[in-house]
Amino acid sequence: MPAKSYDGILAGGLTFLKKATAAETKKAVAVNNQYAYTEAVVLHGDRDLTTNHLTMNKITVEQLNGRNVINFPLVNHTAAYLNKVQTKIKIYHRGGQKVVYHQNLTNGQMAPSSIYKLPVRTGQNALKAGKYTAVVKVKSKKQHWQFKQNFVITQGEATNLNQTAVLKQGPNWWLYIGIGLLILLLIILLIWYIRRKQKKIKELEKQLNDKRQS
């Protein structure tokens, strides 16, 4: 429990883990199973806070479950839940007006005094390095916030993430060109073989005619 009185809400949990006995710890096995469970705990202070202070930290890129994402760390500085959260995110090339990525979410929730890394998935297309500008609008009931931040995706970040991401594979033009050249070569060889056979047949026919005339 906090040592002093406070306003707002403290949310967390108590995790209980069974203590292993001395005999269990001495077992020479590769895996030891341990059981734990968590009880949610919510503490209410002297009065509820109704106005939230929300900011946004530095935008980053990472990978979740094989998908590239752009993270928008929203920071709830207030000891109060942020309910019915709506977010609208648009990402542009810096200085441009065409939307590169966008995402709209509704019915979100943020815990008191917490940071939520809101992920914007970039789909199955490869992440491209460059300079970007993000415009983020957040709404929670009657509260509104808007953030605008420039960020950079370096070539190294894009290359590393794309190497392990699940991406949509485009047409392999080199494969198609190779197959086309192989088919063309086979056609040329077939034409050469047919003409060679025809030439031999004509030579044999000429030899037969010469023998008959003699």
Side-chain angles (χ1 to χ4, degrees), residues 70 90-94 97-102 122 128 131-133:
I70 303 173
K90 292 183 179 180
I91 302 174
Y92 307 84
H93 286 295
R94 193 176 303 179
Q97 296 182 342
K98 183 180 178 181
V99 177
V100 183
Y101 303 109
H102 71 278
T122 60
K128 294 183 179 179
K131 297 180 179 180
Y132 297 90
T133 299

Side-chain angles (χ1 to χ4, degrees), residues 14-33:
L14 300 176
T15 299
F16 298 89
L17 177 66
K18 181 182 177 182
K19 186 177 180 180
T21 63
E24 290 174 335
T25 56
K26 293 180 180 179
K27 290 181 180 178
V29 294
V31 178
N32 284 324
N33 292 323

Side-chain angles (χ1 to χ4, degrees), residues 131-146:
K131 297 180 179 180
Y132 297 90
T133 299
V135 177
V136 182
K137 295 181 180 180
V138 183
K139 179 181 177 182
S140 174
K141 297 181 179 179
K142 295 182 179 181
Q143 300 183 88
H144 300 264
W145 299 270
Q146 180 167 320

Side-chain angles (χ1 to χ4, degrees), residues 170-183:
N172 192 339
W173 295 112
W174 287 111
L175 178 62
Y176 295 154
I177 292 172
I179 293 174
L181 291 174
L182 181 60
I183 294 174

Side-chain angles (χ1 to χ4, degrees), residues 48-53 76 78-80 82 143 145:
D48 290 337
L49 302 176
T50 57
T51 302
N52 296 77
H53 174 44
N76 181 12
T78 310
L82 205 58
Q143 300 183 88
W145 299 270

